Amino acid sequence: MAWYDYKTGLPSILTVLLITCSCTPFESPDSPEQARRQAFEHPGLMQTLGDLEFMKRKIEAGEEPWITAWNNLLDQPWSSLDFKPEPWAHVVRGSYGRPDIGGSEFSASGYAAYSHALQWFVTGEQDYADKAIEILGAWSETVWDFQLNDAKILVGWSGSDYINAAEILRYTASGWEEKDRTEFERMLRTVFYPLIKDFFPEANGNWDGAMMHTMISMGVYLDDHGIYDRAVDRYLRGAGNGGLTRYVYPHGQSQESTRDQPHTQMGLDYLSRTAHVAWNQGLDLYETADNRLALGFEYTAKYMLGNEVFTYGGPISPQGRYRFRDNFEAAYQHYHYIKGLEMPYTRQAMDSTRSASIWGVLTRHKGPLASSPALMGPPKPSTQAPEAGARTGPTTDVPEGAIVVGPGGSIQDALDERNRTGGGWVILEKGIHRLPEALALHSGVTLAGQGLETILFLDPEQVRRHSAAIVNAEDDMHDVTLRDFVIEGATSAGLPDDPNQGRRQRAHQLNPSRAGVIFAAQKHGQMRNIRFEHVTVRNHTHNGVALYGAANVSVIASDFSDNGSSVVPGPGLQHNLIITRVTGCEVRDSRLDTSPWGSGIDISHSRNVTVTNSEAARNRLSGIRVTESNNTRIAGNLTEGNGWGGIVFDALMEGSDNIEILENLSRNNGGYGIDTAGIVYGTRKNNTLKDNELPSTGVSEIIQAGHL
């Protein structure tokens, strides 16, 4: 029974009949794409006309907190009518502002233009409109390009200020002449947009967030749905570190939480601004991924207020803790007063910045609304893989007769001794265990650490060729357990100040080929009874964990993330977890995330495999890929933010049958949510698909419309 006609690439007649006549529909929320083609509302960026009039009334009445925010605005040097724009033809801004030729002037003029446009609206005095028009004209007539490292982020930061000023001027009786508006539009289309249209997925996510905000603002101002759609697509399904589900993880941690808190706040702020513009245009991006942005704000505010939070991928950074930006107003206003979510930490953070606030209060704060709903609790984190990976130790009791190895001791000698005595435990103490070569694991051994502080590190000074940290000593290895430690794949055992820099470096093809665990037999079922429990395997350029030819494998509450680069034999061939020619495998409560060039888990030529209650997110390819396998059960998993599909079955083989795909949540992926083209016989039930990219043929929309 074939599901596709491979000559046309379309579903077979049998497929369409079965799905349209006998299937119960999936949950199918209104697509954001359906809401985009309405006429844009003007003004409609950070403030609609109603918002501007509301702000004006509050200022004229002298009400708090608006009057304080207004006075704060007037106190800025760029709010004075004496402000003089200093435009440059070639704006040069290097990394961290070194060098800075025209960059500071560009940002100051953006603030000034927006400030004077607001002053024009509130006071009605023409001098303020004229000043804003002067600033926009000066830069429109002068600037040619932006150069060096920070060019994109500079336009992301400040471009939206120019556009917000222009939006107010254009849709009020400001006297802005058509020829000057045309010149400003030319600057947007020929200078700003070409620079930011492809974003910067390799950078930390605050970059794409800033560019999204400027781009969505540009789309509205220009009445250009193509530009607007490009920004919305990036928010929903961004590549690299861009996009909401790429930047804010399912438990609330942000991509930059382990870097520092100022950049984390910046990233959240620009995502919030993007959602705010979309909301003013009738599109709710705030609700994306079950109010994920609210979860990110609460997590970050909770930590910054002095509370402890769970993090993975390294400890959360204390840099910038207790230093709050003026970017919590919008999140609290929307999620608390409009959505009815309790946001206690965001409220405290907002209160701490209220007296110094400018833009947060003036552009987004309204306070309680007549239509505010009843409160329904705080935003909820994901329930998949809540404690995956090595934990805070000590986590392993030392059984009688165990061999204990400290940092600097020979783990291999201990493993060989266990082999001579018929098996048993080897306990690794806390610390960094530098390995001069791969550990060869024998049958009957349990290798256990003391949690996150036990780190196995393949010494790059001694191992310069391809190697793995742990391999099987015999082809028929059996009855082994690995638990409660970290295998670090980076070439430095210390955690970097900016984890994204390490990922970018490891993704390069010319890096040394370093794997975590490779257990390889020579035939089906030759190895057996292999168990991983609370193991973290991270940052390897080759596979994180690869299992070939085993039977009865368990991967329980483990974290295999940031593995699989483009090293030889090439990109797309290494993954966080690869399972091939395995019979009987359970993957449960585990995290399989952020492979730079591969998938979360790749299953091939195997049978009796189950993957349950696990998270496979932000991988370059797919979250979970299955090919040429049968008796496979994929149930209760979260697959989101992957570059291609969430759950993919991509080979139509005679043996690819008895597949169950049950109660998974697959969302915000760059391709299919669940692609079942490679299944011959199977069952699919109660899966939720949302905000995944659909091919233009519409095939996946038909395939995803019911149960198989």
Side-chain angles (χ1 to χ4, degrees), residues 405-413 428-439 453-464 468-470 486-488 490-495 514:
V405 182
S410 175
I411 302 174
Q412 189 62 60
D413 286 350
L428 307 178
E429 293 182 336
K430 293 180 181 180
I432 297 175
H433 296 257
R434 302 180 75 91
L435 307 178
E437 58 184 352
L439 295 176
E453 295 180 78
T454 300
I455 300 174
L456 274 64
F457 177 61
L458 198 64
D459 191 341
E461 296 300 318
Q462 301 187 61
V463 182
R464 297 184 181 276
I470 304 177
V486 176
I487 305 177
E488 176 60 61
T491 53
S492 173
L495 294 168
R514 296 164 63 84

Side-chain angles (χ1 to χ4, degrees), residues 440-458:
L441 190 63
H442 301 284
S443 298
V445 172
T446 293
L447 182 62
Q450 294 294 321
L452 278 170
E453 295 180 78
T454 300
I455 300 174
L456 274 64
F457 177 61
L458 198 64

Side-chain angles (χ1 to χ4, degrees), residues 351-681:
D351 288 344
S352 73
T353 64
R354 176 61 63 78
S355 63
S357 176
I358 299 177
W359 307 112
V361 168
L362 291 179
T363 64
R364 287 174 275 185
H365 176 71
K366 285 190 173 181
L369 307 175
S371 58
S372 292
L375 295 179
M376 55 182 183
K380 295 178 173 57
S382 167
T383 58
Q384 280 86 3
E387 295 185 353
R391 299 160 291 176
T392 302
T395 56
T396 303
D397 295 329
V398 180
E400 186 175 352
I403 299 176
V404 179
V405 182
S410 175
I411 302 174
Q412 189 62 60
D413 286 350
L415 295 175
D416 293 342
E417 177 63 23
R418 292 283 72 161
N419 184 48
R420 286 190 291 271
T421 59
W425 286 64
V426 173
I427 303 290
L428 307 178
E429 293 182 336
K430 293 180 181 180
I432 297 175
H433 296 257
R434 302 180 75 91
L435 307 178
E437 58 184 352
L439 295 176
L441 190 63
H442 301 284
S443 298
V445 172
T446 293
L447 182 62
Q450 294 294 321
L452 278 170
E453 295 180 78
T454 300
I455 300 174
L456 274 64
F457 177 61
L458 198 64
D459 191 341
E461 296 300 318
Q462 301 187 61
V463 182
R464 297 184 181 276
R465 56 184 175 81
H466 169 72
S467 188
I470 304 177
V471 299
N472 51 306
E474 303 90 20
D475 289 340
D476 62 351
M477 181 187 72
H478 59 85
D479 298 293
V480 300
T481 297
L482 287 74
R483 55 176 295 179
D484 298 306
F485 57 82
V486 176
I487 305 177
E488 176 60 61
T491 53
S492 173
L495 294 168
D497 293 334
D498 183 355
N500 185 57
Q501 284 295 97
R503 182 180 299 123
R504 290 174 64 181
Q505 292 167 1
R506 288 190 300 275
H508 197 276
Q509 188 176 17
L510 298 180
N511 276 290
S513 183
R514 296 164 63 84
V517 178
I518 297 181
F519 290 159
Q522 303 305 312
K523 56 187 179 182
H524 282 280
Q526 192 174 13
M527 294 184 297
R528 62 189 186 278
N529 302 337
I530 299 169
R531 183 178 181 88
F532 297 82
E533 185 173 353
H534 285 292
V535 175
T536 294
V537 182
R538 65 191 184 200
N539 303 332
H540 293 86
T541 57
H542 207 266
N543 290 300
V545 175
L547 304 170
Y548 305 95
N552 191 23
V553 174
S554 298
V555 178
I556 309 299
S558 290
D559 182 0
F560 304 159
S561 295
D562 279 283
N563 307 289
S565 183
S566 61
V567 296
V568 291
L573 298 174
Q574 288 86 225
H575 311 279
N576 282 316
L577 173 60
I578 184 167
I579 295 170
T580 186
R581 290 175 169 81
V582 169
T583 300
C585 177
E586 176 188 25
V587 179
R588 171 167 53 85
D589 302 325
S590 293
R591 186 177 291 115
L592 306 148
D593 293 346
T594 326
S595 175
W597 283 96
S599 295
I601 177 171
D602 188 274
I603 303 167
S604 65
H605 302 91
S606 297
R607 60 183 184 271
N608 301 332
V609 177
T610 67
V611 183
T612 59
N613 199 44
S614 293
E615 176 187 305
R618 305 179 301 281
N619 297 289
R620 181 66 172 261
L621 297 181
S622 298
I624 301 172
R625 175 183 178 266
V626 183
T627 181
E628 301 170 295
S629 299
N630 60 17
N631 295 338
T632 302
R633 186 172 189 266
I634 311 295
N637 302 289
L638 172 63
T639 59
E640 69 172 25
N642 296 291
W644 177 229
I647 301 171
V648 173
F649 291 79
D650 67 355
L652 184 60
M653 300 293 290
E654 197 64 36
S656 299
D657 55 12
N658 297 326
I659 306 297
E660 290 184 302
I661 312 171
L662 308 173
E663 299 180 351
N664 300 284
L665 175 54
S666 189
R667 62 189 174 196
N668 302 93
N669 297 291
Y672 299 92
I674 300 178
D675 175 14
T676 55
I679 297 176
V680 179
Y681 298 106

Side-chain angles (χ1 to χ4, degrees), residues 132-149:
I133 292 169
E134 174 195 343
I135 295 167
L136 298 185
W139 282 92
S140 298
E141 295 167 1
T142 304
V143 68
W144 289 4
D145 50 52
F146 294 79
Q147 299 174 13
L148 292 191
N149 187 82

Side-chain angles (χ1 to χ4, degrees), residues 66-283:
W66 298 274
I67 189 62
T68 292
W70 177 250
N71 289 330
N72 290 340
L73 177 68
L74 299 184
D75 284 343
Q76 305 306 314
W78 29 261
S79 292
S80 169
L81 284 171
D82 293 330
F83 179 86
K84 299 295 183 184
E86 300 178 59
W88 293 72
H90 308 287
V91 178
V92 179
R93 192 181 195 277
S95 180
Y96 296 100
R98 297 186 295 271
D100 181 359
I101 304 171
S104 297
E105 291 83 353
F106 178 73
S107 293
S109 286
Y111 288 138
Y114 196 1
S115 174
H116 285 93
L118 288 177
Q119 290 180 75
W120 147 247
F121 190 91
V122 171
T123 68
E125 296 181 16
Q126 186 63 39
D127 285 348
Y128 294 113
D130 291 345
K131 177 58 70 172
I133 292 169
E134 174 195 343
I135 295 167
L136 298 185
W139 282 92
S140 298
E141 295 167 1
T142 304
V143 68
W144 289 4
D145 50 52
F146 294 79
Q147 299 174 13
L148 292 191
N149 187 82
D150 285 3
K152 287 176 178 281
I153 191 66
L154 179 60
V155 170
W157 284 337
S158 299
S160 58
D161 293 331
Y162 287 79
I163 301 167
N164 271 279
E167 180 86 347
I168 294 171
L169 295 172
R170 182 176 179 181
Y171 293 101
T172 58
S174 67
W176 195 18
E177 296 183 5
E178 183 177 354
K179 64 180 180 62
D180 296 324
R181 295 200 307 269
T182 299
E183 190 68 15
F184 179 75
E185 179 177 333
R186 180 205 59 78
M187 179 178 70
L188 296 185
R189 289 191 180 277
T190 66
V191 181
F192 285 16
Y193 187 64
L195 180 64
I196 67 173
K197 72 181 180 67
D198 293 321
F199 301 97
F200 192 174
E202 296 82 12
N204 285 290
N206 74 82
W207 285 59
D208 274 14
M211 285 182 268
M212 279 179 232
H213 179 223
T214 287
M215 187 179 295
I216 197 171
S217 301
M218 194 183 304
V220 173
Y221 176 80
L222 296 172
D223 287 302
D224 190 319
H225 284 280
I227 293 176
Y228 178 85
D229 287 355
R230 193 174 183 87
V232 172
D233 286 340
R234 196 66 171 193
Y235 185 97
L236 293 173
R237 297 177 286 268
N241 298 312
L244 179 63
T245 56
R246 292 273 183 157
Y247 194 71
V248 184
Y249 301 166
H251 66 291
Q253 177 183 339
S254 291
Q255 177 257 320
E256 296 186 88
S257 293
T258 55
R259 181 189 184 194
D260 62 55
Q261 302 316 307
H263 283 101
T264 296
Q265 291 179 88
M266 189 186 302
L268 294 172
D269 185 20
Y270 283 116
L271 289 170
S272 173
R273 294 187 195 197
T274 303
H276 189 78
V277 174
W279 177 260
N280 284 338
Q281 297 301 326
L283 175 61

